Amino acid sequence: MKIFITGGTSGIGLAIAEQYLEAGHEVGICGRDIKKVQLEKSYPLLKMYQLDVYDNNRLEEAVSDFANQSLDIMILSAGNYSDSALYDLTYEESTEMLRCNIAGAVNSLEIARDHMHLNRKGHIAVIASVSGLLDYPKATIYSKTKRALIQIADAYRRALENFGINVTIIAPGYVNSPRLRELNNDDLSKKPFVVDCSYAASIIIKGIEEKKKRVVFPPKMKYLIGFLSILPTPLLTFIMLKRVKRQKNG
């Protein structure tokens, strides 16, 4: 199969790429800095493209070069995360999350759709976040963008399901990625139910293989989010703001 992964230069995206490569598939990955790609061995079936998913023209060129009229799976793993709950973001940080998590994701969905429609088959996986499953007024900008992405991806799923194109929405909890460690000074002790990138990749690949509409993991986080989702909005907001306050106070 031919599999293209945005944001495939680190974290979950890179772990997914490596597992597909080990299985003998052709994989294309893109990111802003391909020099940071670290793999234990070289893969002849891997192609890398340096680009920003917000750059629609460059992304289209990369996918076209890789797919060559045939694209089986496209995984949207590119994402930008800054914690607006713990500190005030700059204008650049705020808009970057909008550009990457929403505009860049829509670019990717459109490009994947057009390529897969040629052969009336294909699978798009959109990696969002469990934080996007909760609806409360004081949610972080990141959570808001991921909630929007879930709704957008679900619209694409409904629109494309009769044309041979499947869409799977992925909502992972905390994943031990370089970005999460960076934002938390390498201390993830206060992050519940953290999983490693390899585990996350295996769950995502299985969900794609089984053509699931939505994949939420790990199980404990799924149950926690399910419980929080049924709470009245004022109570949910109170709980979440109290949690943020504890984090700020160390």
Side-chain angles (χ1 to χ4, degrees), residues 7-27:
T9 56
S10 66
I12 298 176
L14 184 58
I16 295 171
E18 193 163 13
Q19 290 189 23
Y20 273 128
L21 288 164
E22 287 291 336
H25 300 293
E26 294 181 61
V27 177

Side-chain angles (χ1 to χ4, degrees), residues 9 13 15 32 46 61 82 108 139-140 147 157 173 210 241 248:
T9 56
R32 293 178 181 176
L46 173 65
E61 290 173 1
S82 293
S108 304
T140 64
R147 184 167 181 80
R157 181 193 62 76
E210 295 177 352
L241 290 178
K248 284 184 175 180

Side-chain angles (χ1 to χ4, degrees), residues 81-89 93 97 140-142 174 179 183-184 191 243-244 247:
Y81 174 44
S82 293
D83 199 339
S84 60
L86 297 181
Y87 67 95
D88 293 331
L89 303 184
E93 288 173 323
M97 277 194 280
T140 64
I141 299 169
Y142 174 79
Y174 290 112
R179 180 57 175 164
L183 289 173
N184 291 275
K191 301 298 181 184
R243 176 174 175 270
V244 170
Q247 286 182 302

